[in-house]
Structure formats: structure tokens, C-alpha cells
Amino acid sequence: MTPGAEAGWAALRAEARAAMSRAYAPYSGYPVGAAALVDDGRVVTGCNVENASYGLGLCAECGLVSQLQNSGGGRLTRFTCVDGDGEILVPCGRCRQLLYEFGGPDLLLETPAGILPLSEMLPQAFGPDHLTK
């Protein structure tokens, strides 16, 4: 990875950490923040939001995608997610599907194993194209 590319990932991680600091996680005590680069250069973020019913909590990716749509839409090109210690996380299965909808198979994810395309994290994904056949 080139130095400029790493600086871009570091800036995205900083945005995810800032979002994580605003998470609402009183039940699990596990705050999560996410940040993504949009194809037009914007950065969108999200944090997890829990509630007393547990199962209806919102992952950070949900807030991120809401912000994406609310700020004009577009396609996600890079994504990172961090825990309460600021360490890199991978999205859960549900959120990988959500990211696929808004970033597609070429969306780059920062993972503990390095930068990977979403197609490696969600192989043979079901997506919008399957519904138009």
C-alpha cells in the first residue's frame, strides 16, 4: 500500500473512532463506530445505537447507510469499523449484506487481516441484480 493510501485509511479510522465515541451502548458496553468514503469524496459515519429490547439495536453500519442516503446517496468505496478500543472490526453478516447493497463487491474493507474487497468477505453475495433477472 502506498503511503498516501495508508494516510487515507488512517483518516477514515479517525472518523470511525470519533463516531464510536458517540455510540449509545448502555446494555452491551460495546460501542462501535464506522466510517466510509463515498465515490464523490464525502465521508459518512455511523455508530451503534442500542435499546432495552436488545434485538432491535442498530449496528453502526445502519447509521452510516442512513447518513449516506440522507446526504445525497452514492456508492461506498472504502469502509472501516472500530470497537471501543479503536481496534479494527469486521462487519457482521447482516451488515456485510447492507454494505453490499450500497458498495457492491468491489467495496474495500479494512480488516485485521488487511484491506480486502467485500467480495472476499461476502462471497457469492445475493444482491439487487438477482431481483431484476
Side-chain angles (χ1 to χ4, degrees):
M1 182 180 318
T2 64
E6 177 51 39
W9 284 104
L12 208 55
R13 271 192 310 279
E15 292 284 344
R17 288 178 179 131
M20 177 272 300
S21 74
R22 296 184 291 274
Y24 180 73
Y27 305 105
S28 70
Y30 196 77
V32 175
L37 183 65
V38 183
D39 59 1
D40 64 6
R42 285 178 294 136
V43 172
V44 290
T45 62
C47 61
N48 61 322
V49 178
E50 299 177 347
N51 66 69
S53 68
Y54 288 101
L56 295 178
L58 299 174
C59 294
E61 293 86 346
C62 296
L64 182 145
V65 166
S66 276
Q67 188 183 60
L68 171 71
Q69 286 305 109
N70 193 43
S71 64
R75 298 295 288 169
L76 302 174
T77 61
R78 290 180 172 201
F79 172 87
T80 193
C81 188
V82 299
D83 65 15
D85 294 325
E87 298 298 319
I88 298 166
L89 291 174
V90 295
C92 69
R94 171 184 171 229
C95 290
R96 291 177 197 190
Q97 186 67 45
L98 184 63
L99 292 171
Y100 188 86
E101 185 82 15
F102 293 93
D106 297 328
L107 171 62
L108 296 177
L109 277 67
E110 184 176 39
T111 77
I115 308 301
L116 298 172
L118 184 54
S119 61
E120 287 189 33
M121 301 295 295
L122 189 67
Q124 300 182 43
F126 179 85
D129 291 344
H130 290 94
L131 300 175
T132 59
K133 292 180 180 178

